[in-house]
Amino acid sequence: MNVQVNINGKEEIIDVQANDTLLTVLRRKKIISVKDGCEQGCCGSCTVLLDDKPVASYIISPLIVKGCNVVTLEYFEQTEEYKDIIKGFNQAGIHLCGYCNAGKIFAAHDILNWHQRPTKEELASILSQFSCPCTDTVTLANGIWYAIANKHKRENNRDKKERWN
């Protein structure tokens, strides 16, 4: 079956088999940031943005993404927000292992978009899903707080430049 979907800013028609997941379709397209980790959609390694919300591509049928926007880490890495997040992670001393990158980066993206000033409890709840030992929850929360500050600083600088032009 063919399904029309926007993948990384490009309208595509994907061929979907009965037992496919969104993960298998993306891997067939040689998109390597989505990984088959826990095979349950819990570890974050298969995370993509589906209409700007992080989802586990391992548990998503490609049939339900018809007409949706799918963004993978490869594409997201080109954004200013990615730079804010990575800078924040670096400021907190986070060194991602490569396995869980998409899950943690897209969780940070989601937090940056929906929580202006997340509480410690909100972050703990959101970040508790990650089982990868490369980064503990407290350090990851610190990285996200740094990313929020970086985003605010960048946006304030942009606003100031626009007012002067």
Side-chain angles (χ1 to χ4, degrees):
M1 170 180 257
N2 290 330
V3 175
Q4 183 174 358
V5 62
N6 184 307
I7 299 175
N8 293 334
K10 185 175 152 190
E11 288 293 328
E12 298 192 32
I13 306 240
I14 54 175
D15 181 35
V16 176
Q17 305 303 313
N19 61 341
D20 280 346
T21 64
L22 181 56
L23 170 73
T24 57
V25 170
L26 294 172
R27 292 298 288 195
R28 272 199 306 264
K29 295 183 62 49
K30 308 290 187 234
I31 297 174
I32 61 171
S33 68
V34 289
K35 296 173 178 52
D36 188 355
C38 67
E39 297 184 346
Q40 297 174 7
C42 298
C43 69
S45 68
C46 68
T47 305
V48 297
L49 293 177
L50 180 60
D51 288 339
D52 209 35
K53 293 295 287 174
V55 297
S57 63
Y58 186 84
I59 59 172
I60 299 290
S61 167
L63 297 174
I64 66 169
V65 301
K66 180 180 180 182
C68 294
N69 292 309
V70 176
V71 172
T72 66
L73 192 55
E74 288 92 338
Y75 190 73
F76 187 73
E77 286 174 343
Q78 302 168 36
T79 67
E80 291 298 315
E81 189 171 345
Y82 172 81
K83 293 173 190 169
D84 295 335
I85 293 167
I86 290 304
K87 182 178 178 183
F89 283 12
N90 289 334
Q91 289 168 302
I94 296 172
H95 303 287
L96 297 174
C97 65
Y99 171 76
C100 64
N101 293 19
K104 290 180 180 173
I105 290 168
F106 287 145
H109 162 76
D110 196 45
I111 292 165
L112 265 67
N113 283 326
W114 302 108
H115 303 279
Q116 281 289 334
R117 300 273 188 246
T119 65
K120 193 183 259 188
E121 292 77 22
E122 286 174 320
L123 283 178
S125 173
I126 293 166
L127 302 176
S128 65
Q129 67 182 331
F130 299 110
S131 58
C132 187
C134 75
T135 308
D136 63 275
T137 303
V138 172
T139 305
L140 185 55
N142 288 337
I144 291 171
W145 279 317
Y146 280 124
I148 291 169
N150 294 334
K151 180 180 179 185
H152 287 259
K153 183 177 180 181
R154 176 179 50 82
E155 288 175 345
N156 286 338
N157 287 341
R158 183 189 66 224
D159 291 345
K160 287 177 187 175
K161 286 179 186 176
E162 288 174 0
R163 281 187 291 224
W164 289 103
N165 290 334

